[in-house]
Amino acid sequence: MKSKVFFAPVVDAEDIDAVNGKLGLLLAESRVLSVVEAGRKVVVKLHFGEEGTNSFVRPDHLRLICDEIANKGSVPFLSDANTLYRGKRLNSEDHLAVALAHGFTTEAVGVGIFIPDERKDENVCDVQIDQNLIKMAKVGRCYLDADAFIAVTHFKGHGLTSFGGTLKNIGMGCATRAGKLAQHCDAAPTFYEDKCVGCGECEKVCPVGAIHLEDDRSVLSKEKCIGCASCVGVCPNMALFIDFEVGDEIQQKMVEYAYAILRDKKGRAGFLNFALRINKECDCWRYENQRIAPDVGIFASTDPVAIDKASLDLVNDTCGKEIFKEFHPGKNPMQQLEYARRLGLGNLDYELIRL
């Protein structure tokens, strides 16, 4: 049986009122928020964008979505997890500051923001999934504990996975720093001795004693390291760094992490893809991010595989070619979709309902 994917075309993403008009119609016709029940806690998972960029779904659109959820008598909140790489979203305090600077204030979106602080044990959770590559997924607890899960995703390209859609927003986006490390390289951080100032912050946060100070310099034992990447988050001088060793397995790992979040959310999860301002790289990209496709529109579904497949197909159709393959040769965009189908996350066959 085909999954239903609803689609509202958008001509100009910069016309916020017109886009919200389409979004309101899409929410009503798709009933994607029917997964929300009164009196429930609802996490709205999104990407707040890296500092200095505009690659994210606009706060005006999140306000409309959150208002609709609140009108159902539920309590929504916005959330994203901290990053693995060095930047302004590496810790919860700075990450929140970036979100506020990008307009995601309580006044603008009408709800609060929760960015899990991994230094607190109550904010993280290990999920036993026993899949092919990931046995234990390390994720933010808030994504599991929420009664309903709504993913709001900016659909764009990605240098490691060809494109980034709903599956990436959930799989990578809900993972802790250790979970992101497991997906990207599954190895201990690289230590650059010449950058170490001997502050000892890494030694303080290492949970297994893999780091100690010696002659006013940190010494890392890779044999003891468990790959949690806590040290990366506190090093003030980037002496500890992640050298990504990425192969074809990253898309499978990402999907297995999405499985960890969604396997107990059947009937309680909805997905929205904004194929607007479609860039070459991920929203984490802090440098010039080339626009590679015209605005296409907004998609809604309760099937995370079908919505990504429909988004991919329609962006390619609009461009008249396989645009993500062109900009990211060697990366197969179907790999994540086919694997997600095999894990039972959704269908590749869909019925596109145009509004």
Side-chain angles (χ1 to χ4, degrees), residues 135-173:
K135 306 304 179 185
M136 183 79 75
K138 301 175 183 297
V139 301
R141 185 178 294 276
C142 66
Y143 307 114
L144 298 176
D145 288 350
D147 300 300
F149 184 102
I150 303 297
V152 178
T153 303
H154 176 217
F155 194 84
K156 67 283 177 184
H158 194 279
L160 305 181
T161 63
S162 183
F163 75 91
T166 287
L167 291 169
K168 180 191 174 295
N169 183 18
I170 299 170
M172 286 188 187

Side-chain angles (χ1 to χ4, degrees), residues 33 42-48 62 65-66 69 75-80 111-112 114 143 146 148-152 169 272:
L33 298 182
V42 183
V43 60
V44 180
K45 172 64 180 71
L46 73 159
H47 191 303
F48 293 113
L62 270 300
I65 295 166
C66 290
I69 295 173
V75 181
F77 65 96
L78 306 182
S79 184
D80 192 12
V111 299
F114 179 70
Y143 307 114
F149 184 102
I150 303 297
V152 178
N169 183 18
L272 291 157

Side-chain angles (χ1 to χ4, degrees), residues 83-86 90-91 177 205 229-236 240:
T83 60
L84 177 61
Y85 61 87
R86 294 291 300 185
L90 186 62
N91 62 72
R177 190 174 292 114
V205 300
S230 296
C231 55
V232 177
V234 298
C235 179
L240 290 143

